[in-house]
Amino acid sequence: MKILVTGGTGYIGSHTCVELLQKGYEVVVFDNLYNSKIDVVDKIQKIAGKPIRFYKADMLDKDSMRPVFEENQFDAVIHFAGLKAVGESVEQPLRYYQNNITGTLNLSELMNEYGCKRMIFSSSATVYGSPETVPITEDFPLSTTNPYGSTKLMLEGILSDFCVPDPEWSVVLLRYFNPIGAHESGLLGESPNGIPNNLMPYIMQVAVGKLPELGVFGDDYDTPDGTGVRDYIHVVDLARGHVNAVEKVTSAQGVHIYNLGTGNGYSVLDIVKAFEEANGVKIPYSIKPRRAGDIAICYADPRKAKEELGWEAQYDLTRMCQDSWRFAQMYNGGQS
Ligand code: NAD
Ligand code: WQD
């Protein structure tokens, strides 16, 4: 089977390519390399010991995507490409709606035209807004607090609508919780530009000495230690969830929605402690005010993915911290 991976040189996409290749799928990637580097292609091939086909293409430029479809017949598309920085989306909403929504519409038009109507879409736990209780099941009410999240919620609706008039369309919406970690080879990981917004990339830069200390955003939440609680999931576990989703999208019709999380909630201070203990490094921190838009607690009920996809996360927090640290050491805190 041949799978198109959009955004396949990015953080989650690159790990997914490795898992797909290792399971025997043929993999074609396109990316505009806005938030990733071309050398990731070689790294994927090196780890998997198999080739992939890469196209430099932009979802906003349909002509640049056309050769990808002209030269390949796909069984399914895994659609990672998109912009993902929450704060930036508040500053530049038009750019986020344009890239994520228009880009996905352009991609979908080509999928229709070339007769591949199966998509696995990268959604996010951000579509649950501020959940009233945890753990979160897929039928919780949906809402968003920023343009990035709104693009995810809108695209969930748009892609679901495709399945109404056309029984050939099949869509799997995967709602990721908080991916961290890196490939055990140390070759693939998350490389944010500039000062990181997310917790683990920030910790990695403190660990290598590029940043002096971590600011912990609030210690007065209604959580066991007062700091925010999240469901951190190893990126390789997340990647494997996509392989199971390929089986689903190629065998079922309509829309299927799954949380991809571990079901465990860890606080910011839990993560600091786990990173220190797993790696023998000190992470200095100080308490800062709450970050606007943050919620207290968010973790998944991942049972539906286990029951229907046969998938569940395998790696524990220690392993996530060890793999993050290996990548950070090889790539200067995750920034080469
Ligand atoms: P990433 O930025 O590492 O990867 C996304 C890739 O898409 C990048 O390589 C980028 O260059 C590419 N891209 C962006 N716009 C493009 C365009 N117009 N045309 C072609 N390529 C384009 O991000 P990631 O962390 O791997 O996330 C992948 C997907 O998962 C995104 O859709 C993101 O919103 C979603 N997601 C991520 C997280 C997370 O915490 N990382 C959580 C939930 C959902
Ligand atoms: C985790 C915890 C912070 C940085 C974001 C997006 C979400 C999804 C995943 C894409 C929170 C605290 C963080 C720091 C801190 N992405 N923190 N100091 O906010 O749960 O989710 O990424 O879909 O949509 O919103 O992740 O890693 O930014 O924060 O104290 O320097 O760490 O307050 O409690 P978040 P995060």
Side-chain angles (χ1 to χ4, degrees):
M1 274 207 219
K2 198 186 256 194
I3 312 296
L4 172 62
V5 182
T6 80
T9 44
Y11 175 47
I12 307 169
S14 57
H15 289 84
T16 302
C17 289
V18 168
E19 297 303 316
L20 287 167
L21 289 168
Q22 288 176 340
K23 286 279 182 192
Y25 290 97
E26 263 188 87
V27 175
V28 175
V29 167
F30 84 71
D31 200 298
N32 66 358
L33 300 177
Y34 168 74
N35 199 35
S36 54
K37 297 205 174 78
I38 187 67
D39 62 3
V40 167
V41 171
D42 283 338
K43 291 173 179 172
I44 294 168
Q45 297 181 140
K46 189 172 170 193
I47 295 167
K50 290 179 187 168
I52 62 172
R53 190 157 180 193
F54 175 80
Y55 294 81
K56 184 164 185 226
D58 192 318
M59 296 191 294
L60 293 180
D61 175 5
K62 235 171 135 185
D63 288 343
S64 76
M65 279 192 288
R66 188 169 290 282
V68 180
F69 285 88
E70 198 63 54
E71 293 165 19
N72 302 280
Q73 179 84 47
F74 297 113
D75 295 284
V77 175
I78 308 183
H79 178 30
F80 292 104
L83 298 175
K84 64 164 183 176
V86 171
E88 190 180 65
S89 80
V90 176
E91 301 299 320
Q92 304 173 27
L94 179 56
R95 183 165 160 248
Y96 270 69
Y97 287 114
Q98 185 79 289
N99 192 75
N100 293 1
I101 307 267
T102 308
T104 302
L105 294 179
N106 286 341
L107 171 70
S108 305
E109 278 179 348
L110 286 172
M111 289 174 67
N112 264 329
E113 193 179 326
Y114 287 88
C116 171
K117 301 181 182 178
R118 296 163 175 164
M119 187 193 285
I120 295 165
F121 175 63
S122 298
S123 189
S124 167
T126 197
V127 300
Y128 295 116
S130 187
E132 284 196 0
T133 56
V134 281
I136 300 168
T137 52
E138 288 82 355
D139 55 2
F140 268 36
L142 306 177
S143 68
T144 57
T145 54
N146 58 72
Y148 165 73
S150 299
T151 68
K152 292 295 175 193
L153 190 50
M154 287 177 190
L155 285 168
E156 284 201 0
I158 289 168
L159 297 172
S160 301
D161 285 345
F162 293 170
C163 300
V164 175
D166 186 346
E168 284 178 22
W169 263 95
S170 168
V171 172
V172 173
L173 305 174
L174 298 179
R175 295 178 180 154
Y176 314 152
F177 282 68
N178 288 56
I180 61 170
H183 194 267
E184 64 176 349
S185 63
L187 293 175
L188 300 175
E190 186 170 17
S191 307
N193 294 319
I195 295 186
N197 298 309
N198 298 114
L199 181 62
M200 184 54 85
Y202 204 104
I203 288 177
M204 284 155 66
Q205 293 205 18
V206 172
V208 297
K210 283 181 79 176
L211 292 169
E213 64 167 16
L214 171 72
V216 174
F217 298 145
D219 67 348
D220 56 353
Y221 286 104
D222 186 14
T223 61
D225 66 17
T227 67
V229 168
R230 299 288 183 274
D231 186 337
Y232 297 93
I233 175 168
H234 197 297
V235 65
V236 170
D237 275 328
L238 194 63
R240 289 178 182 156
H242 293 75
V243 179
N244 293 47
V246 167
E247 288 162 23
K248 184 77 184 176
V249 85
T250 52
S251 62
Q253 291 176 335
V255 186
H256 299 272
I257 305 175
Y258 302 101
N259 287 338
L260 295 186
T262 65
N264 302 314
Y266 291 106
S267 73
V268 178
L269 295 181
D270 288 336
I271 300 296
V272 170
K273 190 159 169 274
F275 194 93
E276 290 183 335
E277 284 176 2
N279 301 316
V281 288
K282 196 85 197 125
I283 306 297
Y285 68 84
S286 64
I287 306 298
K288 303 280 186 214
R290 290 182 179 196
R291 182 173 66 179
D294 272 357
I295 56 175
I297 306 190
C298 173
Y299 60 88
D301 181 334
R303 279 178 303 178
K304 190 176 175 209
K306 185 174 181 189
E307 282 158 18
E308 295 189 17
L309 298 179
W311 170 90
E312 69 183 320
Q314 304 292 329
Y315 294 128
D316 65 10
L317 188 55
T318 300
R319 175 66 187 267
M320 297 182 218
C321 292
Q322 289 167 336
D323 287 343
S324 292
W325 179 225
R326 189 181 304 104
F327 179 72
Q329 287 174 293
M330 283 174 70
Y331 292 98
N332 191 26
Q335 290 179 313
S336 44

